[in-house]
Amino acid sequence: MEIKVSVKQLGRKHPVLSEQILDIAHYENNISLENLLKQIVQQQVETFNAKSFELEDEDVSKIPQENYLNILTDTGKAGFGSIYNEKRADLEKAQENALQAFKDGMFTVFYDDEQLENLTQIIDLNSQHTFTFIRLTFLAGSYW
């Protein structure tokens, strides 16, 4: 089943990842938030593990374009699309981490305008709204 997903970070005007269509291995109309998160993580792990881990002598195809500096200032992250860690992602561990991060309040999920707050909450996928994941960041500082 295809679902629409957008990833955002608080304090940013534009999404970190624009709306994407993900194909998850679920064929019923209703799904719990816990199963949805597991399915999304499974899809992402399979995509990551399918990428080539071949070492290249020269990274010609990933040379930055002229507008790269603007992208750096918007995202605050430099990267050239190369994978330097040759380990494959562990699906079970990745799913556990995602569920724990949700429980710990590291991110929140919205389905259209409704915030999904409980892992047992049932979602009707017939509506075909966009899922929005918002990464929450903590303020730096001390209590002194």
Side-chain angles (χ1 to χ4, degrees), residues 73-127:
T73 56
D74 286 346
T75 63
K77 180 178 179 183
F80 300 101
S82 295
I83 300 173
Y84 300 105
N85 183 353
E86 298 175 32
K87 285 185 171 180
R88 301 281 184 201
D90 179 2
L91 175 60
E92 189 175 315
K93 189 170 183 176
Q95 288 174 330
E96 286 176 22
N97 287 342
L99 294 176
Q100 189 63 50
F102 180 81
K103 290 176 189 174
D104 290 345
M106 301 299 288
F107 68 93
T108 189
V109 182
F110 286 84
Y111 188 49
D112 196 22
D113 291 331
E114 179 188 356
Q115 182 176 357
L116 305 175
E117 298 177 357
N118 190 332
L119 288 173
T120 59
Q121 191 168 353
I122 301 298
I123 304 160
D124 179 13
L125 297 176
N126 280 334
S127 304

Side-chain angles (χ1 to χ4, degrees), residues 31-135:
I31 189 170
S32 69
L33 178 58
E34 179 176 2
N35 285 335
L36 176 73
L37 292 176
K38 286 182 177 181
Q39 292 295 326
I40 291 173
V41 169
Q42 178 179 346
Q43 187 273 339
Q44 293 294 298
V45 165
E46 288 171 357
T47 300
F48 176 81
N49 285 342
K51 289 183 180 178
S52 173
F53 288 95
E54 297 175 12
L55 298 176
E56 302 170 1
D57 291 336
E58 189 175 346
D59 207 359
V60 177
S61 66
K62 298 179 181 90
I63 294 175
Q65 303 296 321
E66 275 186 42
N67 63 344
Y68 190 66
L69 185 58
N70 293 334
I71 295 170
L72 285 178
T73 56
D74 286 346
T75 63
K77 180 178 179 183
F80 300 101
S82 295
I83 300 173
Y84 300 105
N85 183 353
E86 298 175 32
K87 285 185 171 180
R88 301 281 184 201
D90 179 2
L91 175 60
E92 189 175 315
K93 189 170 183 176
Q95 288 174 330
E96 286 176 22
N97 287 342
L99 294 176
Q100 189 63 50
F102 180 81
K103 290 176 189 174
D104 290 345
M106 301 299 288
F107 68 93
T108 189
V109 182
F110 286 84
Y111 188 49
D112 196 22
D113 291 331
E114 179 188 356
Q115 182 176 357
L116 305 175
E117 298 177 357
N118 190 332
L119 288 173
T120 59
Q121 191 168 353
I122 301 298
I123 304 160
D124 179 13
L125 297 176
N126 280 334
S127 304
Q128 297 184 348
H129 294 298
T130 300
F131 286 94
T132 304
F133 290 79
I134 299 178
R135 188 175 87 190

